[in-house]
Each structure stands twice: as C-alpha cells, then as structure tokens.
Amino acid sequence: AQKITQTQPGMFVQEKEAVTLDCTYDTSDPSYGLFWYKQPSSGEMIFLIYQGSYDQQNATEGRYSLNFQKARKSANLVISASQLGDSAMYFCAMREGRIPGSSNTGKLIFGQGTTLQVKP
Amino acid sequence: DVKVTQSSRYLVKRTGEKVFLECVQDMDHENMFWYRQDPGLGLRLIYFSYDVKMKEKGDIPEGYSVSREKKERFSLILESASTNQTSMYLCASSLSGLAKNIQYFGAGTRLSVL
C-alpha cells in the first residue's frame, strides 16, 4: 500500500505568489516524522523542513511552512512568495517509528514527487 | 557543512558489466543509504547500512549488492548490469538515533546501461 502520496505530478505558480504542494500519508505508528525535500535540475536533494508527529505547532523554515493536519494525515508544503529558483521537484517523505526487532536507522519512504514551475 | 560525494555524475556501461558506484560522507554518520530514482516512482530504497559491515535490504535489492568496509564509504555494486538498471542513483547519509534524522544526499549518478 502506498504510504506517501503526492497527487500533483506538476504545478505552476506565478512568481511572488504562494503555492501549496499536497502530501498525504498512511501509518498506524503514533510516532513518525515528515520531511520535505527539494530537487533542482542539478539532481541533489535538499532538505527543506521537518514535522514530528508529536509537534504541537506547524513547522516553519523561512518561506516554507508545513500545514500538518494529523487527523487527515496530510502534510502539505506551503511556499510563500515564490521565486524563480523555487522551480524544482519536491518530495514528501515519512519516517516511521521504531519497528520492534528491526534496526532504527530512520529509513524514509518517499512520495512520487511534484514538479513545480515558477513563472516570471 | 555535511558533504556526501558520489564518485561519478554520469556513467555509461554495457549489459553484463560489473558496475561500482561509490559514495563517501564526511560527517561521521552511522547510516548510509542507496536509492534509485525513476520518473513517477519517486525514490526507492535499494540497500542501507547502519554500521560498518552491517547492511539491510531495502525495497528493491534484487540485482544489487553493497559494501561498507569503512564508516565513511558505502558502495553499490551491480554484479551484472542490465538495461532495466538504467536510472538515477542517489546516496544519502544520516545520524542514528534522532527523531529528526535528516538524510543528506549526494548529487546523484545517472547510469545508462546499453
């Protein structure tokens, strides 16, 4: 079963506007973490923002914020005041809590990604 | 800054060749990972290692093996390359035992098997 779902293969946004990239997840573990990464055309994955399942407030990092709705199992990324340099592919990922008997290495499960294009 | 270095950005190999992809990290991270990335499929975990000489299979280990003889280096081996292994390969590393255990990635190796 798909554990991380990004339903938007591609998105367009006008420069200086805000954009929301969707991410839904599925887990029965009460302890988990959610990550967003950016992958420019150069290929390197860049960490953007993290939300822990027990965090009381939505995470924010500069122009990035995470709209965490636990009951709906969604963790949407909001980029405010889009810039041309935000054009990239964005991945949502989840780390589940420790599974008894397995090594707790912080494995991540990634979504399919959303390609964002910022228009001038 | 954390640096994860992959030995090649682009590789072209022939079917049946043995292929080595090398990854080195400089932050003393316990965990290292190999992913492949294909359009529409996101990143899929091939293998990971949580300590020197320790490894576990990921979601798609078939056709691959790994080696971790030193903490900073994690190698992915394609024993006999096939065309369906043409893909982008990404290496990552992270600290162990943290809730916010960010994975840091290399720039990727784009492998073409002809």
Side-chain angles (χ1 to χ4, degrees):
Chain A
Q2 186 74 39
K3 292 203 168 189
I4 291 279
T5 303
Q6 295 179 253
T7 57
Q8 305 153 313
M11 292 275 289
F12 289 92
V13 66
Q14 206 67 38
E15 193 178 10
K16 299 181 185 176
E17 291 185 353
V19 62
T20 298
L21 306 184
D22 294 342
C23 174
T24 58
Y25 60 91
D26 182 27
T27 182
S28 57
D29 197 316
S31 174
Y32 54 90
L34 296 156
F35 300 74
W36 276 93
Y37 282 84
K38 172 185 178 181
Q39 186 182 40
S41 56
S42 59
E44 186 169 347
M45 298 277 283
I46 302 165
F47 166 74
L48 295 179
I49 196 166
Y50 167 82
Q51 180 85 41
S53 59
Y54 294 119
D55 293 344
Q56 294 297 311
Q57 296 192 326
N58 286 347
T60 60
E61 292 282 353
R63 294 187 298 112
Y64 304 109
S65 60
L66 203 152
N67 183 3
F68 181 46
Q69 297 188 44
K70 199 169 182 176
R72 296 180 61 187
K73 294 189 175 179
S74 74
N76 298 339
L77 177 71
V78 181
I79 306 174
S80 63
S82 297
Q83 302 171 356
L84 296 177
D86 294 335
S87 293
M89 181 164 277
Y90 290 81
F91 289 95
C92 179
M94 177 175 69
R95 172 197 54 77
E96 291 182 303
R98 186 181 187 115
I99 300 170
S102 76
S103 54
N104 187 20
T105 59
K107 288 191 293 180
L108 296 180
I109 304 165
F110 285 83
Q112 309 94 312
T114 295
T115 300
L116 176 66
Q117 292 192 38
V118 180
K119 292 183 174 180
Chain B
D1 276 352
V2 176
K3 192 150 182 73
V4 179
T5 304
Q6 294 183 230
S7 52
S8 306
R9 290 299 306 272
Y10 301 94
L11 273 181
V12 180
K13 297 292 181 181
R14 297 274 180 203
T15 303
E17 277 192 77
K18 190 168 187 175
V19 181
F20 293 87
L21 302 183
E22 306 286 347
C23 176
V24 177
Q25 51 94 4
D26 66 357
M27 281 303 290
D28 204 34
H29 285 171
E30 295 87 0
N31 303 327
M32 296 190 75
F33 307 83
W34 274 108
Y35 296 91
R36 67 176 280 175
Q37 181 181 2
D38 299 288
L41 298 178
L43 277 70
R44 293 179 293 168
L45 183 64
I46 304 171
Y47 267 99
F48 65 97
S49 169
Y50 50 91
D51 202 349
V52 176
K53 298 189 186 293
M54 306 303 288
K55 61 186 179 185
E56 282 192 20
K57 293 180 180 179
D59 300 317
I60 50 164
E62 296 79 19
Y64 303 94
S65 62
V66 290
S67 171
R68 193 165 180 201
E69 297 297 317
K70 293 185 178 181
K71 192 174 186 179
E72 66 270 18
R73 186 179 298 269
F74 191 36
S75 303
L76 179 70
I77 304 153
L78 287 66
E79 296 289 341
S80 177
S82 64
T83 55
N84 63 13
Q85 292 178 310
T86 292
S87 186
M88 174 74 137
Y89 291 87
L90 291 163
C91 174
S93 72
S94 72
L95 285 170
S96 184
L98 301 176
K100 186 181 176 181
N101 47 354
I102 299 165
Q103 289 190 17
Y104 296 89
F105 284 80
T109 296
R110 194 167 293 279
L111 173 67
S112 294
V113 182
L114 306 178

